[in-house]
Amino acid sequence: MAPFDDVVTFKRLLIEQFQGYSSAMLLDPQFAVPGCIDALDASKGLFISLEDPSYDLVENNERRSTSAEFWSVCKIKRVGGNTVKMLAWYRPDASAETNQHQQNYVMQVGDACAKYDIPFFLELLAYPLDSDSTLKADTVNRKERLRDTELQSVEEFAKSKYQVDVFMLESPIEGSDAPGVGHQGEEPIQSADM
């Protein structure tokens, strides 16, 4: 891992270069908030991520999200955050225990966001289970499964008990499959059938 000061220097450079083109910036609590918040234009919105970038790994490669150490929705609000952004790993076909952990975690964050009157942006990410190894060579079925997983995940977390304001989702297609606008094959990628 890169030294703390090097990471902060790089993130500060990104903020200084790109905030003029944005209405808000997303900062992480590990590096950008402690090392770069003073570089942020006060007229810009401030999104702060809550999740720990690592995760608890359990059987079948299942992932359980946690908050960054010493961070909470309350702390995000206290340091001037305008929005809580949280990443949650989710597979509807994971074990009941892992899915219950993820659902409870999202629900707790949603409750805290409602309590502190701060918007809740939820980023859902699918991930490979050990049982997916048979799908690696089958690109078509893998892509269909990813889309189905994303739709089932949104269906779960769109329930009012989670209090999610905005979803951030993965693209339903892989970047390598997306030709640029005006290039051959662009029309099907842009269609609503994806």
mmCIF file with all atom_site columns, all heavy atoms in Angstrom, residues 69-95:
data_model
loop_
_atom_site.group_PDB
_atom_site.id
_atom_site.type_symbol
_atom_site.label_atom_id
_atom_site.label_alt_id
_atom_site.label_comp_id
_atom_site.label_asym_id
_atom_site.label_entity_id
_atom_site.label_seq_id
_atom_site.pdbx_PDB_ins_code
_atom_site.Cartn_x
_atom_site.Cartn_y
_atom_site.Cartn_z
_atom_site.occupancy
_atom_site.B_iso_or_equiv
_atom_site.pdbx_formal_charge
_atom_site.auth_seq_id
_atom_site.auth_comp_id
_atom_site.auth_asym_id
_atom_site.auth_atom_id
_atom_site.pdbx_PDB_model_num
ATOM 1   N N   . GLU A 1 69 ? -13.603 2.429   9.986  1.00 0.00 ? 69 GLU A N   1
ATOM 2   C CA  . GLU A 1 69 ? -13.353 2.546   11.416 1.00 0.00 ? 69 GLU A CA  1
ATOM 3   C C   . GLU A 1 69 ? -13.481 3.997   11.880 1.00 0.00 ? 69 GLU A C   1
ATOM 4   O O   . GLU A 1 69 ? -12.964 4.917   11.237 1.00 0.00 ? 69 GLU A O   1
ATOM 5   C CB  . GLU A 1 69 ? -11.950 2.019   11.730 1.00 0.00 ? 69 GLU A CB  1
ATOM 6   C CG  . GLU A 1 69 ? -11.677 1.856   13.194 1.00 0.00 ? 69 GLU A CG  1
ATOM 7   C CD  . GLU A 1 69 ? -10.336 1.201   13.471 1.00 0.00 ? 69 GLU A CD  1
ATOM 8   O OE1 . GLU A 1 69 ? -9.425  1.282   12.613 1.00 0.00 ? 69 GLU A OE1 1
ATOM 9   O OE2 . GLU A 1 69 ? -10.202 0.619   14.552 1.00 0.00 ? 69 GLU A OE2 1
ATOM 10  N N   . PHE A 1 70 ? -14.195 4.178   12.967 1.00 0.00 ? 70 PHE A N   1
ATOM 11  C CA  . PHE A 1 70 ? -14.415 5.480   13.602 1.00 0.00 ? 70 PHE A CA  1
ATOM 12  C C   . PHE A 1 70 ? -15.341 6.400   12.809 1.00 0.00 ? 70 PHE A C   1
ATOM 13  O O   . PHE A 1 70 ? -15.401 7.596   13.072 1.00 0.00 ? 70 PHE A O   1
ATOM 14  C CB  . PHE A 1 70 ? -13.093 6.203   13.905 1.00 0.00 ? 70 PHE A CB  1
ATOM 15  C CG  . PHE A 1 70 ? -12.111 5.380   14.673 1.00 0.00 ? 70 PHE A CG  1
ATOM 16  C CD1 . PHE A 1 70 ? -10.872 5.087   14.135 1.00 0.00 ? 70 PHE A CD1 1
ATOM 17  C CD2 . PHE A 1 70 ? -12.434 4.865   15.918 1.00 0.00 ? 70 PHE A CD2 1
ATOM 18  C CE1 . PHE A 1 70 ? -9.949  4.315   14.841 1.00 0.00 ? 70 PHE A CE1 1
ATOM 19  C CE2 . PHE A 1 70 ? -11.519 4.094   16.625 1.00 0.00 ? 70 PHE A CE2 1
ATOM 20  C CZ  . PHE A 1 70 ? -10.282 3.818   16.092 1.00 0.00 ? 70 PHE A CZ  1
ATOM 21  N N   . TRP A 1 71 ? -16.063 5.871   11.803 1.00 0.00 ? 71 TRP A N   1
ATOM 22  C CA  . TRP A 1 71 ? -16.959 6.701   11.005 1.00 0.00 ? 71 TRP A CA  1
ATOM 23  C C   . TRP A 1 71 ? -18.396 6.247   11.162 1.00 0.00 ? 71 TRP A C   1
ATOM 24  O O   . TRP A 1 71 ? -18.682 5.075   11.345 1.00 0.00 ? 71 TRP A O   1
ATOM 25  C CB  . TRP A 1 71 ? -16.532 6.701   9.534  1.00 0.00 ? 71 TRP A CB  1
ATOM 26  C CG  . TRP A 1 71 ? -15.386 7.623   9.342  1.00 0.00 ? 71 TRP A CG  1
ATOM 27  C CD1 . TRP A 1 71 ? -14.071 7.337   9.511  1.00 0.00 ? 71 TRP A CD1 1
ATOM 28  C CD2 . TRP A 1 71 ? -15.463 9.006   9.039  1.00 0.00 ? 71 TRP A CD2 1
ATOM 29  N NE1 . TRP A 1 71 ? -13.309 8.467   9.318  1.00 0.00 ? 71 TRP A NE1 1
ATOM 30  C CE2 . TRP A 1 71 ? -14.138 9.505   9.027  1.00 0.00 ? 71 TRP A CE2 1
ATOM 31  C CE3 . TRP A 1 71 ? -16.506 9.877   8.775  1.00 0.00 ? 71 TRP A CE3 1
ATOM 32  C CZ2 . TRP A 1 71 ? -13.847 10.837  8.758  1.00 0.00 ? 71 TRP A CZ2 1
ATOM 33  C CZ3 . TRP A 1 71 ? -16.210 11.202  8.494  1.00 0.00 ? 71 TRP A CZ3 1
ATOM 34  C CH2 . TRP A 1 71 ? -14.893 11.665  8.487  1.00 0.00 ? 71 TRP A CH2 1
ATOM 35  N N   . SER A 1 72 ? -19.285 7.215   11.045 1.00 0.00 ? 72 SER A N   1
ATOM 36  C CA  . SER A 1 72 ? -20.718 6.967   11.153 1.00 0.00 ? 72 SER A CA  1
ATOM 37  C C   . SER A 1 72 ? -21.448 8.038   10.353 1.00 0.00 ? 72 SER A C   1
ATOM 38  O O   . SER A 1 72 ? -20.847 9.032   9.922  1.00 0.00 ? 72 SER A O   1
ATOM 39  C CB  . SER A 1 72 ? -21.167 7.036   12.623 1.00 0.00 ? 72 SER A CB  1
ATOM 40  O OG  . SER A 1 72 ? -20.986 8.363   13.112 1.00 0.00 ? 72 SER A OG  1
ATOM 41  N N   . VAL A 1 73 ? -22.741 7.860   10.191 1.00 0.00 ? 73 VAL A N   1
ATOM 42  C CA  . VAL A 1 73 ? -23.554 8.879   9.520  1.00 0.00 ? 73 VAL A CA  1
ATOM 43  C C   . VAL A 1 73 ? -23.483 10.182  10.309 1.00 0.00 ? 73 VAL A C   1
ATOM 44  O O   . VAL A 1 73 ? -23.335 11.271  9.736  1.00 0.00 ? 73 VAL A O   1
ATOM 45  C CB  . VAL A 1 73 ? -25.010 8.392   9.366  1.00 0.00 ? 73 VAL A CB  1
ATOM 46  C CG1 . VAL A 1 73 ? -25.909 9.519   8.880  1.00 0.00 ? 73 VAL A CG1 1
ATOM 47  C CG2 . VAL A 1 73 ? -25.073 7.192   8.422  1.00 0.00 ? 73 VAL A CG2 1
ATOM 48  N N   . CYS A 1 74 ? -23.551 10.082  11.621 1.00 0.00 ? 74 CYS A N   1
ATOM 49  C CA  . CYS A 1 74 ? -23.472 11.271  12.477 1.00 0.00 ? 74 CYS A CA  1
ATOM 50  C C   . CYS A 1 74 ? -22.170 12.031  12.239 1.00 0.00 ? 74 CYS A C   1
ATOM 51  O O   . CYS A 1 74 ? -22.172 13.254  12.092 1.00 0.00 ? 74 CYS A O   1
ATOM 52  C CB  . CYS A 1 74 ? -23.602 10.855  13.942 1.00 0.00 ? 74 CYS A CB  1
ATOM 53  S SG  . CYS A 1 74 ? -23.435 12.214  15.117 1.00 0.00 ? 74 CYS A SG  1
ATOM 54  N N   . LYS A 1 75 ? -21.068 11.323  12.163 1.00 0.00 ? 75 LYS A N   1
ATOM 55  C CA  . LYS A 1 75 ? -19.774 11.979  11.955 1.00 0.00 ? 75 LYS A CA  1
ATOM 56  C C   . LYS A 1 75 ? -19.699 12.615  10.569 1.00 0.00 ? 75 LYS A C   1
ATOM 57  O O   . LYS A 1 75 ? -19.156 13.717  10.416 1.00 0.00 ? 75 LYS A O   1
ATOM 58  C CB  . LYS A 1 75 ? -18.628 10.985  12.149 1.00 0.00 ? 75 LYS A CB  1
ATOM 59  C CG  . LYS A 1 75 ? -17.267 11.642  12.105 1.00 0.00 ? 75 LYS A CG  1
ATOM 60  C CD  . LYS A 1 75 ? -16.169 10.702  12.526 1.00 0.00 ? 75 LYS A CD  1
ATOM 61  C CE  . LYS A 1 75 ? -14.822 11.404  12.550 1.00 0.00 ? 75 LYS A CE  1
ATOM 62  N NZ  . LYS A 1 75 ? -13.748 10.503  12.991 1.00 0.00 ? 75 LYS A NZ  1
ATOM 63  N N   . ILE A 1 76 ? -20.243 11.945  9.572  1.00 0.00 ? 76 ILE A N   1
ATOM 64  C CA  . ILE A 1 76 ? -20.262 12.522  8.222  1.00 0.00 ? 76 ILE A CA  1
ATOM 65  C C   . ILE A 1 76 ? -21.013 13.855  8.243  1.00 0.00 ? 76 ILE A C   1
ATOM 66  O O   . ILE A 1 76 ? -20.563 14.846  7.675  1.00 0.00 ? 76 ILE A O   1
ATOM 67  C CB  . ILE A 1 76 ? -20.871 11.536  7.208  1.00 0.00 ? 76 ILE A CB  1
ATOM 68  C CG1 . ILE A 1 76 ? -19.882 10.384  6.953  1.00 0.00 ? 76 ILE A CG1 1
ATOM 69  C CG2 . ILE A 1 76 ? -21.245 12.237  5.900  1.00 0.00 ? 76 ILE A CG2 1
ATOM 70  C CD1 . ILE A 1 76 ? -20.423 9.261   6.093  1.00 0.00 ? 76 ILE A CD1 1
ATOM 71  N N   . LYS A 1 77 ? -22.133 13.888  8.926  1.00 0.00 ? 77 LYS A N   1
ATOM 72  C CA  . LYS A 1 77 ? -22.914 15.127  9.031  1.00 0.00 ? 77 LYS A CA  1
ATOM 73  C C   . LYS A 1 77 ? -22.115 16.191  9.800  1.00 0.00 ? 77 LYS A C   1
ATOM 74  O O   . LYS A 1 77 ? -22.086 17.359  9.397  1.00 0.00 ? 77 LYS A O   1
ATOM 75  C CB  . LYS A 1 77 ? -24.237 14.826  9.729  1.00 0.00 ? 77 LYS A CB  1
ATOM 76  C CG  . LYS A 1 77 ? -25.170 15.988  9.882  1.00 0.00 ? 77 LYS A CG  1
ATOM 77  C CD  . LYS A 1 77 ? -26.053 16.172  8.690  1.00 0.00 ? 77 LYS A CD  1
ATOM 78  C CE  . LYS A 1 77 ? -27.060 17.270  8.955  1.00 0.00 ? 77 LYS A CE  1
ATOM 79  N NZ  . LYS A 1 77 ? -28.169 17.264  8.056  1.00 0.00 ? 77 LYS A NZ  1
ATOM 80  N N   . ARG A 1 78 ? -21.457 15.804  10.881 1.00 0.00 ? 78 ARG A N   1
ATOM 81  C CA  . ARG A 1 78 ? -20.702 16.760  11.713 1.00 0.00 ? 78 ARG A CA  1
ATOM 82  C C   . ARG A 1 78 ? -19.541 17.404  10.963 1.00 0.00 ? 78 ARG A C   1
ATOM 83  O O   . ARG A 1 78 ? -19.222 18.564  11.211 1.00 0.00 ? 78 ARG A O   1
ATOM 84  C CB  . ARG A 1 78 ? -20.162 16.071  12.975 1.00 0.00 ? 78 ARG A CB  1
ATOM 85  C CG  . ARG A 1 78 ? -21.138 15.988  14.095 1.00 0.00 ? 78 ARG A CG  1
ATOM 86  C CD  . ARG A 1 78 ? -20.488 15.673  15.456 1.00 0.00 ? 78 ARG A CD  1
ATOM 87  N NE  . ARG A 1 78 ? -19.248 14.949  15.405 1.00 0.00 ? 78 ARG A NE  1
ATOM 88  C CZ  . ARG A 1 78 ? -19.112 13.640  15.631 1.00 0.00 ? 78 ARG A CZ  1
ATOM 89  N NH1 . ARG A 1 78 ? -20.143 12.900  15.916 1.00 0.00 ? 78 ARG A NH1 1
ATOM 90  N NH2 . ARG A 1 78 ? -17.922 13.070  15.589 1.00 0.00 ? 78 ARG A NH2 1
ATOM 91  N N   . VAL A 1 79 ? -18.889 16.645  10.066 1.00 0.00 ? 79 VAL A N   1
ATOM 92  C CA  . VAL A 1 79 ? -17.748 17.225  9.346  1.00 0.00 ? 79 VAL A CA  1
ATOM 93  C C   . VAL A 1 79 ? -18.178 18.011  8.111  1.00 0.00 ? 79 VAL A C   1
ATOM 94  O O   . VAL A 1 79 ? -17.331 18.497  7.373  1.00 0.00 ? 79 VAL A O   1
ATOM 95  C CB  . VAL A 1 79 ? -16.674 16.175  8.969  1.00 0.00 ? 79 VAL A CB  1
ATOM 96  C CG1 . VAL A 1 79 ? -16.113 15.500  10.201 1.00 0.00 ? 79 VAL A CG1 1
ATOM 97  C CG2 . VAL A 1 79 ? -17.192 15.171  7.964  1.00 0.00 ? 79 VAL A CG2 1
ATOM 98  N N   . GLY A 1 80 ? -19.492 18.117  7.883  1.00 0.00 ? 80 GLY A N   1
ATOM 99  C CA  . GLY A 1 80 ? -19.985 18.938  6.775  1.00 0.00 ? 80 GLY A CA  1
ATOM 100 C C   . GLY A 1 80 ? -20.418 18.181  5.543  1.00 0.00 ? 80 GLY A C   1
ATOM 101 O O   . GLY A 1 80 ? -20.675 18.795  4.506  1.00 0.00 ? 80 GLY A O   1
ATOM 102 N N   . GLY A 1 81 ? -20.515 16.861  5.647  1.00 0.00 ? 81 GLY A N   1
ATOM 103 C CA  . GLY A 1 81 ? -20.983 16.087  4.497  1.00 0.00 ? 81 GLY A CA  1
ATOM 104 C C   . GLY A 1 81 ? -22.426 16.411  4.166  1.00 0.00 ? 81 GLY A C   1
ATOM 105 O O   . GLY A 1 81 ? -23.246 16.607  5.061  1.00 0.00 ? 81 GLY A O   1
ATOM 106 N N   . ASN A 1 82 ? -22.720 16.470  2.870  1.00 0.00 ? 82 ASN A N   1
ATOM 107 C CA  . ASN A 1 82 ? -24.087 16.717  2.414  1.00 0.00 ? 82 ASN A CA  1
ATOM 108 C C   . ASN A 1 82 ? -24.814 15.436  2.062  1.00 0.00 ? 82 ASN A C   1
ATOM 109 O O   . ASN A 1 82 ? -26.031 15.428  1.936  1.00 0.00 ? 82 ASN A O   1
ATOM 110 C CB  . ASN A 1 82 ? -24.096 17.611  1.163  1.00 0.00 ? 82 ASN A CB  1
ATOM 111 C CG  . ASN A 1 82 ? -23.374 18.901  1.392  1.00 0.00 ? 82 ASN A CG  1
ATOM 112 O OD1 . ASN A 1 82 ? -22.297 19.105  0.838  1.00 0.00 ? 82 ASN A OD1 1
ATOM 113 N ND2 . ASN A 1 82 ? -23.916 19.775  2.223  1.00 0.00 ? 82 ASN A ND2 1
ATOM 114 N N   . THR A 1 83 ? -24.060 14.348  1.867  1.00 0.00 ? 83 THR A N   1
ATOM 115 C CA  . THR A 1 83 ? -24.627 13.069  1.445  1.00 0.00 ? 83 THR A CA  1
ATOM 116 C C   . THR A 1 83 ? -23.761 11.940  1.958  1.00 0.00 ? 83 THR A C   1
ATOM 117 O O   . THR A 1 83 ? -22.533 12.041  1.959  1.00 0.00 ? 83 THR A O   1
ATOM 118 C CB  . THR A 1 83 ? -24.697 12.995  -0.104 1.00 0.00 ? 83 THR A CB  1
ATOM 119 O OG1 . THR A 1 83 ? -25.522 14.047  -0.578 1.00 0.00 ? 83 THR A OG1 1
ATOM 120 C CG2 . THR A 1 83 ? -25.247 11.676  -0.585 1.00 0.00 ? 83 THR A CG2 1
ATOM 121 N N   . VAL A 1 84 ? -24.425 10.846  2.364  1.00 0.00 ? 84 VAL A N   1
ATOM 122 C CA  . VAL A 1 84 ? -23.727 9.620   2.739  1.00 0.00 ? 84 VAL A CA  1
ATOM 123 C C   . VAL A 1 84 ? -23.762 8.699   1.525  1.00 0.00 ? 84 VAL A C   1
ATOM 124 O O   . VAL A 1 84 ? -24.825 8.410   0.983  1.00 0.00 ? 84 VAL A O   1
ATOM 125 C CB  . VAL A 1 84 ? -24.408 8.923   3.933  1.00 0.00 ? 84 VAL A CB  1
ATOM 126 C CG1 . VAL A 1 84 ? -23.806 7.550   4.184  1.00 0.00 ? 84 VAL A CG1 1
ATOM 127 C CG2 . VAL A 1 84 ? -24.311 9.800   5.171  1.00 0.00 ? 84 VAL A CG2 1
ATOM 128 N N   . LYS A 1 85 ? -22.586 8.255   1.084  1.00 0.00 ? 85 LYS A N   1
ATOM 129 C CA  . LYS A 1 85 ? -22.499 7.265   0.004  1.00 0.00 ? 85 LYS A CA  1
ATOM 130 C C   . LYS A 1 85 ? -21.963 5.988   0.610  1.00 0.00 ? 85 LYS A C   1
ATOM 131 O O   . LYS A 1 85 ? -20.945 5.992   1.291  1.00 0.00 ? 85 LYS A O   1
ATOM 132 C CB  . LYS A 1 85 ? -21.569 7.759   -1.106 1.00 0.00 ? 85 LYS A CB  1
ATOM 133 C CG  . LYS A 1 85 ? -21.639 6.969   -2.410 1.00 0.00 ? 85 LYS A CG  1
ATOM 134 C CD  . LYS A 1 85 ? -21.004 5.612   -2.404 1.00 0.00 ? 85 LYS A CD  1
ATOM 135 C CE  . LYS A 1 85 ? -19.513 5.619   -2.384 1.00 0.00 ? 85 LYS A CE  1
ATOM 136 N NZ  . LYS A 1 85 ? -18.927 4.237   -2.414 1.00 0.00 ? 85 LYS A NZ  1
ATOM 137 N N   . MET A 1 86 ? -22.687 4.896   0.411  1.00 0.00 ? 86 MET A N   1
ATOM 138 C CA  . MET A 1 86 ? -22.246 3.627   0.967  1.00 0.00 ? 86 MET A CA  1
ATOM 139 C C   . MET A 1 86 ? -22.260 2.553   -0.099 1.00 0.00 ? 86 MET A C   1
ATOM 140 O O   . MET A 1 86 ? -23.207 2.441   -0.862 1.00 0.00 ? 86 MET A O   1
ATOM 141 C CB  . MET A 1 86 ? -23.156 3.202   2.112  1.00 0.00 ? 86 MET A CB  1
ATOM 142 C CG  . MET A 1 86 ? -22.626 1.978   2.834  1.00 0.00 ? 86 MET A CG  1
ATOM 143 S SD  . MET A 1 86 ? -23.796 1.358   4.039  1.00 0.00 ? 86 MET A SD  1
ATOM 144 C CE  . MET A 1 86 ? -24.845 0.384   2.988  1.00 0.00 ? 86 MET A CE  1
ATOM 145 N N   . LEU A 1 87 ? -21.199 1.764   -0.138 1.00 0.00 ? 87 LEU A N   1
ATOM 146 C CA  . LEU A 1 87 ? -21.113 0.623   -1.038 1.00 0.00 ? 87 LEU A CA  1
ATOM 147 C C   . LEU A 1 87 ? -21.499 -0.623  -0.246 1.00 0.00 ? 87 LEU A C   1
ATOM 148 O O   . LEU A 1 87 ? -21.027 -0.827  0.866  1.00 0.00 ? 87 LEU A O   1
ATOM 149 C CB  . LEU A 1 87 ? -19.686 0.488   -1.546 1.00 0.00 ? 87 LEU A CB  1
ATOM 150 C CG  . LEU A 1 87 ? -19.377 -0.674  -2.493 1.00 0.00 ? 87 LEU A CG  1
ATOM 151 C CD1 . LEU A 1 87 ? -18.235 -0.286  -3.407 1.00 0.00 ? 87 LEU A CD1 1
ATOM 152 C CD2 . LEU A 1 87 ? -19.025 -1.936  -1.753 1.00 0.00 ? 87 LEU A CD2 1
ATOM 153 N N   . ALA A 1 88 ? -22.373 -1.436  -0.817 1.00 0.00 ? 88 ALA A N   1
ATOM 154 C CA  . ALA A 1 88 ? -22.737 -2.716  -0.203 1.00 0.00 ? 88 ALA A CA  1
ATOM 155 C C   . ALA A 1 88 ? -22.594 -3.811  -1.252 1.00 0.00 ? 88 ALA A C   1
ATOM 156 O O   . ALA A 1 88 ? -23.162 -3.719  -2.336 1.00 0.00 ? 88 ALA A O   1
ATOM 157 C CB  . ALA A 1 88 ? -24.156 -2.686  0.335  1.00 0.00 ? 88 ALA A CB  1
ATOM 158 N N   . TRP A 1 89 ? -21.795 -4.812  -0.922 1.00 0.00 ? 89 TRP A N   1
ATOM 159 C CA  . TRP A 1 89 ? -21.679 -5.994  -1.770 1.00 0.00 ? 89 TRP A CA  1
ATOM 160 C C   . TRP A 1 89 ? -22.960 -6.787  -1.593 1.00 0.00 ? 89 TRP A C   1
ATOM 161 O O   . TRP A 1 89 ? -23.425 -6.967  -0.484 1.00 0.00 ? 89 TRP A O   1
ATOM 162 C CB  . TRP A 1 89 ? -20.490 -6.835  -1.326 1.00 0.00 ? 89 TRP A CB  1
ATOM 163 C CG  . TRP A 1 89 ? -19.185 -6.109  -1.422 1.00 0.00 ? 89 TRP A CG  1
ATOM 164 C CD1 . TRP A 1 89 ? -18.520 -5.487  -0.412 1.00 0.00 ? 89 TRP A CD1 1
ATOM 165 C CD2 . TRP A 1 89 ? -18.399 -5.932  -2.590 1.00 0.00 ? 89 TRP A CD2 1
ATOM 166 N NE1 . TRP A 1 89 ? -17.363 -4.925  -0.882 1.00 0.00 ? 89 TRP A NE1 1
ATOM 167 C CE2 . TRP A 1 89 ? -17.263 -5.196  -2.225 1.00 0.00 ? 89 TRP A CE2 1
ATOM 168 C CE3 . TRP A 1 89 ? -18.541 -6.334  -3.921 1.00 0.00 ? 89 TRP A CE3 1
ATOM 169 C CZ2 . TRP A 1 89 ? -16.278 -4.844  -3.127 1.00 0.00 ? 89 TRP A CZ2 1
ATOM 170 C CZ3 . TRP A 1 89 ? -17.553 -5.990  -4.818 1.00 0.00 ? 89 TRP A CZ3 1
ATOM 171 C CH2 . TRP A 1 89 ? -16.438 -5.253  -4.425 1.00 0.00 ? 89 TRP A CH2 1
ATOM 172 N N   . TYR A 1 90 ? -23.541 -7.264  -2.705 1.00 0.00 ? 90 TYR A N   1
ATOM 173 C CA  . TYR A 1 90 ? -24.793 -8.009  -2.543 1.00 0.00 ? 90 TYR A CA  1
ATOM 174 C C   . TYR A 1 90 ? -24.979 -9.020  -3.658 1.00 0.00 ? 90 TYR A C   1
ATOM 175 O O   . TYR A 1 90 ? -24.787 -8.707  -4.830 1.00 0.00 ? 90 TYR A O   1
ATOM 176 C CB  . TYR A 1 90 ? -26.000 -7.061  -2.519 1.00 0.00 ? 90 TYR A CB  1
ATOM 177 C CG  . TYR A 1 90 ? -27.235 -7.723  -1.966 1.00 0.00 ? 90 TYR A CG  1
ATOM 178 C CD1 . TYR A 1 90 ? -27.353 -7.964  -0.602 1.00 0.00 ? 90 TYR A CD1 1
ATOM 179 C CD2 . TYR A 1 90 ? -28.264 -8.123  -2.799 1.00 0.00 ? 90 TYR A CD2 1
ATOM 180 C CE1 . TYR A 1 90 ? -28.474 -8.585  -0.076 1.00 0.00 ? 90 TYR A CE1 1
ATOM 181 C CE2 . TYR A 1 90 ? -29.386 -8.747  -2.289 1.00 0.00 ? 90 TYR A CE2 1
ATOM 182 C CZ  . TYR A 1 90 ? -29.487 -8.977  -0.924 1.00 0.00 ? 90 TYR A CZ  1
ATOM 183 O OH  . TYR A 1 90 ? -30.597 -9.595  -0.406 1.00 0.00 ? 90 TYR A OH  1
ATOM 184 N N   . ARG A 1 91 ? -25.352 -10.220 -3.248 1.00 0.00 ? 91 ARG A N   1
ATOM 185 C CA  . ARG A 1 91 ? -25.745 -11.289 -4.156 1.00 0.00 ? 91 ARG A CA  1
ATOM 186 C C   . ARG A 1 91 ? -27.018 -11.906 -3.598 1.00 0.00 ? 91 ARG A C   1
ATOM 187 O O   . ARG A 1 91 ? -26.993 -12.474 -2.505 1.00 0.00 ? 91 ARG A O   1
ATOM 188 C CB  . ARG A 1 91 ? -24.653 -12.366 -4.216 1.00 0.00 ? 91 ARG A CB  1
ATOM 189 C CG  . ARG A 1 91 ? -23.455 -12.027 -5.068 1.00 0.00 ? 91 ARG A CG  1
ATOM 190 C CD  . ARG A 1 91 ? -23.762 -12.011 -6.554 1.00 0.00 ? 91 ARG A CD  1
ATOM 191 N NE  . ARG A 1 91 ? -24.192 -13.286 -7.068 1.00 0.00 ? 91 ARG A NE  1
ATOM 192 C CZ  . ARG A 1 91 ? -23.415 -14.128 -7.733 1.00 0.00 ? 91 ARG A CZ  1
ATOM 193 N NH1 . ARG A 1 91 ? -22.161 -13.807 -7.996 1.00 0.00 ? 91 ARG A NH1 1
ATOM 194 N NH2 . ARG A 1 91 ? -23.895 -15.269 -8.167 1.00 0.00 ? 91 ARG A NH2 1
ATOM 195 N N   . PRO A 1 92 ? -28.135 -11.789 -4.292 1.00 0.00 ? 92 PRO A N   1
ATOM 196 C CA  . PRO A 1 92 ? -29.379 -12.390 -3.796 1.00 0.00 ? 92 PRO A CA  1
ATOM 197 C C   . PRO A 1 92 ? -29.253 -13.888 -3.558 1.00 0.00 ? 92 PRO A C   1
ATOM 198 O O   . PRO A 1 92 ? -29.968 -14.444 -2.722 1.00 0.00 ? 92 PRO A O   1
ATOM 199 C CB  . PRO A 1 92 ? -30.387 -12.103 -4.908 1.00 0.00 ? 92 PRO A CB  1
ATOM 200 C CG  . PRO A 1 92 ? -29.822 -10.959 -5.660 1.00 0.00 ? 92 PRO A CG  1
ATOM 201 C CD  . PRO A 1 92 ? -28.330 -11.084 -5.552 1.00 0.00 ? 92 PRO A CD  1
ATOM 202 N N   . ASP A 1 93 ? -28.325 -14.531 -4.261 1.00 0.00 ? 93 ASP A N   1
ATOM 203 C CA  . ASP A 1 93 ? -28.150 -15.973 -4.120 1.00 0.00 ? 93 ASP A CA  1
ATOM 204 C C   . ASP A 1 93 ? -27.047 -16.342 -3.127 1.00 0.00 ? 93 ASP A C   1
ATOM 205 O O   . ASP A 1 93 ? -26.647 -17.504 -3.037 1.00 0.00 ? 93 ASP A O   1
ATOM 206 C CB  . ASP A 1 93 ? -27.871 -16.615 -5.476 1.00 0.00 ? 93 ASP A CB  1
ATOM 207 C CG  . ASP A 1 93 ? -26.705 -15.986 -6.228 1.00 0.00 ? 93 ASP A CG  1
ATOM 208 O OD1 . ASP A 1 93 ? -26.289 -14.862 -5.876 1.00 0.00 ? 93 ASP A OD1 1
ATOM 209 O OD2 . ASP A 1 93 ? -26.215 -16.606 -7.186 1.00 0.00 ? 93 ASP A OD2 1
ATOM 210 N N   . ALA A 1 94 ? -26.573 -15.384 -2.334 1.00 0.00 ? 94 ALA A N   1
ATOM 211 C CA  . ALA A 1 94 ? -25.621 -15.690 -1.258 1.00 0.00 ? 94 ALA A CA  1
ATOM 212 C C   . ALA A 1 94 ? -26.391 -16.345 -0.110 1.00 0.00 ? 94 ALA A C   1
ATOM 213 O O   . ALA A 1 94 ? -27.620 -16.445 -0.145 1.00 0.00 ? 94 ALA A O   1
ATOM 214 C CB  . ALA A 1 94 ? -24.926 -14.416 -0.788 1.00 0.00 ? 94 ALA A CB  1
ATOM 215 N N   . SER A 1 95 ? -25.679 -16.756 0.912  1.00 0.00 ? 95 SER A N   1
ATOM 216 C CA  . SER A 1 95 ? -26.326 -17.422 2.042  1.00 0.00 ? 95 SER A CA  1
ATOM 217 C C   . SER A 1 95 ? -27.285 -16.472 2.754  1.00 0.00 ? 95 SER A C   1
ATOM 218 O O   . SER A 1 95 ? -27.136 -15.241 2.701  1.00 0.00 ? 95 SER A O   1
ATOM 219 C CB  . SER A 1 95 ? -25.278 -17.922 3.035  1.00 0.00 ? 95 SER A CB  1
ATOM 220 O OG  . SER A 1 95 ? -24.654 -16.823 3.671  1.00 0.00 ? 95 SER A OG  1
#
